Amino acid sequence: MLLLALFLQLLILGMHPDEATEDIVDMAVSHGKAFAVVPCCVFPDAFPERALDGAPVRSYAQFLDYLRAKDPGIETEYLPFQGRSRVLYKR
């Protein structure tokens, strides 16, 4: 448990974390922590309050833009596997 607590002091990770994706980004940004998250599903019906430029966030591309808009320091890269492999991260 101590090792996990120390690890979370440095970096927050999420690999296809589904409904927890936005919470991971929000927690990392609000606490000034580095993070890396690989978003997968958007779940637009579960999160109808998500909006980007006044429009509901319904697509994967919109979800990525929505998450990146939370902090200007969020960067994007691709991981070397098939499927949804975009990683959003902040150092």
Side-chain angles (χ1 to χ4, degrees):
M1 190 60 135
L2 178 59
L3 184 58
L4 177 61
L6 291 173
F7 180 72
L8 290 176
Q9 293 293 323
L10 303 174
L11 175 69
I12 301 169
L13 297 173
M15 178 67 174
H16 290 212
D18 292 333
E19 291 99 331
T21 302
E22 185 174 4
D23 291 334
I24 290 170
V25 174
D26 288 344
M27 185 173 72
V29 168
S30 69
H31 289 86
K33 300 292 182 188
F35 75 90
V37 65
V38 180
C40 184
C41 301
V42 179
F43 297 103
D45 294 332
F47 299 98
E49 70 281 359
R50 289 180 180 157
L52 184 64
D53 298 326
V57 174
R58 300 204 61 81
S59 73
Y60 180 67
Q62 289 172 322
F63 189 38
L64 295 176
D65 289 342
Y66 172 80
L67 293 171
R68 279 192 294 258
K70 290 180 173 286
D71 189 282
I74 296 176
E75 301 178 60
T76 306
E77 289 293 335
Y78 288 88
L79 297 175
F81 61 84
Q82 291 186 350
R84 293 197 167 158
S85 60
R86 265 188 252 186
V87 58
L88 303 181
Y89 67 96
K90 185 172 179 190
R91 302 170 199 244

